[in-house]
Amino acid sequence: MIVKDIIDILEGDVICEGDLQQEIKTACGSDMMSDVLAFVKDQSVLLTGLVNPQVVRTAEMMDMACIVFVRGKDPDKGIVDLAKSRGITLLKTRYRMFTACGLLYTNGLSGGTKV
Amino acid sequence: MSNAIHLHYEVSSEDFTRAGEASGSVKKRLKSLGFNGDVIRRVAIAMYEAEINMVIHAEGGYCDVDIYPDRIEVLLADKGPGIPDVDKAMQEGFSTAPDNVRTLGFGAGMGLPNIKKYTDSMRIDTTIGEGTKLYLTVNVPQ
Ligand SMILES: Nc1ncnc2c1ncn2[C@@H]1O[C@H](COP(=O)(O)OP(=O)(O)O)[C@@H](O)[C@H]1O
Ligand SMILES: [Mg+2]
């Protein structure tokens, strides 16, 4: 799956665009950034209901290419500028966390861990 | 002659949105020096959690980073309240963070355990009322 596929599956609105061809192998959905930081997975997408700059920084530290804000939340300019400078794609989707994760999962994306 | 590269950052606690600037900048530097992606991620994540701690639990401080060909050493020092019980603080889920920190996505009590997990060595020197020094080393597989 590539970033572009995630946009299509989640019917996402692109807030800022990084490399849409980048391959995504796993996903992580959480509002607690330390939980996200606890499991390094390769080439992951982050789904979150949390909207603050630390979400972008967390993705940056983890080399994540894409962040999805669920329930249609809008990040402010500071967040968008930070993501732009890091080359991270930001999307928002009207789907809620459970549904957004489920849609990606049924389309073949895994959590990257057995549990 | 030594091939160490030394970096120094001041970490301010005034602006939570800036927490992670130092870690991001170290990450970029390590990338440009050609370190392996896994090593870079481990340094960045450990340092980021520690930087967040300096901002939410102390009143900021500084980081010193020494980059050697075979290892990266990071010192994070603050003049905060100190940690009364380090063993307890190291437990997964233990946190004294106030609720407002939790709404920012931190305060799950996973920071120090994450730091331990990603580093090859971790030492905490802390004195109540004076501050905390966290020494981290990540080895570079040769
Ligand atoms: N730099 C620090 N200064 C003072 N106390 C700290 C510091 N870092 C960590 N602590 C203490 O250790 C606890 C556990 O830290 P951590 O595992 O990072 O979890 P969290 O930051 O989510 O609370 C914190 O809640 C706090 O009480
Ligand atoms: Mg912490």
Side-chain angles (χ1 to χ4, degrees), chain A residues 31-42 50 52-55 57-63 82 85-86, chain B residues 16-21 23-24 27 31 41 44-45 48-49 52 102-108 110 114 117-118:
Chain A
D31 292 350
M32 289 309 280
M33 293 303 110
S34 288
D35 285 344
V36 178
L37 292 162
F39 300 100
V40 167
K41 301 166 211 147
D42 210 20
L50 186 71
N52 72 38
Q54 298 309 335
V55 173
R57 296 200 191 274
T58 297
E60 174 191 7
M61 304 309 159
M62 305 281 287
D63 295 310
L82 192 62
S85 73
R86 305 300 196 262
Chain B
F16 177 75
T17 66
R18 289 186 60 83
E21 279 286 309
S23 313
K27 178 164 200 208
K31 208 173 250 175
R41 250 189 320 266
I45 296 171
Y48 178 52
E49 286 278 15
I52 293 278
R102 227 151 277 142
T103 61
L104 295 169
F106 287 89
M110 291 300 293
N114 277 352
K117 177 168 147 185
Y118 290 119

Side-chain angles (χ1 to χ4, degrees), chain B residues 49 53 57 111:
Chain B
E49 286 278 15
N53 279 355
H57 302 297

Side-chain angles (χ1 to χ4, degrees), chain B residues 74-132:
Chain B
V74 185
L75 161 65
L76 300 107
D78 66 60
K79 290 198 159 47
I83 304 175
D85 185 339
V86 172
D87 287 340
K88 211 169 175 184
M90 287 298 302
Q91 287 171 15
E92 290 190 6
F94 176 84
S95 176
T96 60
D99 282 344
N100 70 312
V101 165
R102 227 151 277 142
T103 61
L104 295 169
F106 287 89
M110 291 300 293
L112 292 174
N114 277 352
I115 294 169
K116 181 155 181 64
K117 177 168 147 185
Y118 290 119
T119 55
D120 291 296
S121 89
M122 165 186 191
R123 197 178 90 229
I124 300 178
D125 280 353
T126 185
T127 309
I128 299 305
E130 282 183 23
T132 301

